[in-house]
Amino acid sequence: MLLAVFLGSGSQVFGMTLVTLAFACLGFLSPANRGALMTCALVAWVLLGAAAGYVSARVYKSFGGRRWKSNILLTSMVCPGVVFSLFFTMNLILWGKGSSAAVPFSTLVALLALWFGVSVPLTFIGAYFGFRKRVFEQLGFYE
């Protein structure tokens, strides 16, 4: 289960990195526009939730997994949940110290809305298509 979850989340992060680097190399992300790189990375990550669900579902099904609901929920919640929890904790410390580097609460709410409103449903859609596919064929040397 965890292998499938981490492979799905890893494919999401890898795809986000490729898309962001592609846009940066093509000149769409200007260094003069503050936050453009992070915005591009966040949007790419949210939209690639479908890829995470697809990869996770295909791998999980190939290993004979039966608890598909748990797989989808873990894929959409574990890695982003850990990252968001760490970010929120560090932000609470910054709020407590009165730092101007703290992210506003409305931005955190917007991040949660993107996560639960866009990324999680796309993960379910990707997993739906992933579970409909055939399992991967394992080829061995002794066949």
Side-chain angles (χ1 to χ4, degrees):
M1 174 77 78
L2 282 178
L3 174 66
V5 167
F6 288 140
L7 279 174
S9 295
S11 68
Q12 185 178 15
V13 171
F14 183 69
M16 172 201 70
T17 304
L18 287 180
V19 168
T20 304
L21 282 174
F23 279 135
C25 289
L26 292 174
F28 291 119
L29 301 175
S30 170
N33 186 2
R34 280 189 49 202
L37 185 71
M38 202 60 188
T39 302
C40 177
L42 184 65
V43 169
W45 177 80
V46 166
L47 294 178
L48 286 168
Y54 181 81
V55 169
S56 180
R58 289 287 307 267
V59 170
Y60 186 65
K61 185 177 177 183
S62 294
F63 281 109
R66 301 279 179 229
R67 298 183 314 179
W68 60 272
K69 292 177 187 174
S70 298
N71 178 302
I72 298 169
L73 282 174
L74 288 173
T75 301
S76 61
M77 300 290 175
V78 169
C79 290
V82 168
V83 170
F84 185 80
S85 298
L86 289 172
F87 179 73
F88 185 73
T89 303
M90 289 187 291
N91 205 42
L92 278 177
I93 294 169
L94 290 174
W95 277 339
K97 296 289 183 183
S99 174
S100 62
V103 176
F105 185 74
S106 60
T107 303
L108 292 176
V109 171
L111 285 174
L112 282 173
L114 280 173
W115 179 18
F116 288 109
V118 180
S119 184
V120 171
L122 284 176
T123 305
F124 276 82
I125 291 169
Y128 171 76
F129 287 110
F131 277 116
R132 289 187 57 195
K133 290 284 204 176
R134 291 184 303 126
V135 298
F136 290 123
E137 298 288 329
Q138 278 89 33
L139 299 176
F141 292 109
Y142 302 109
E143 293 184 54

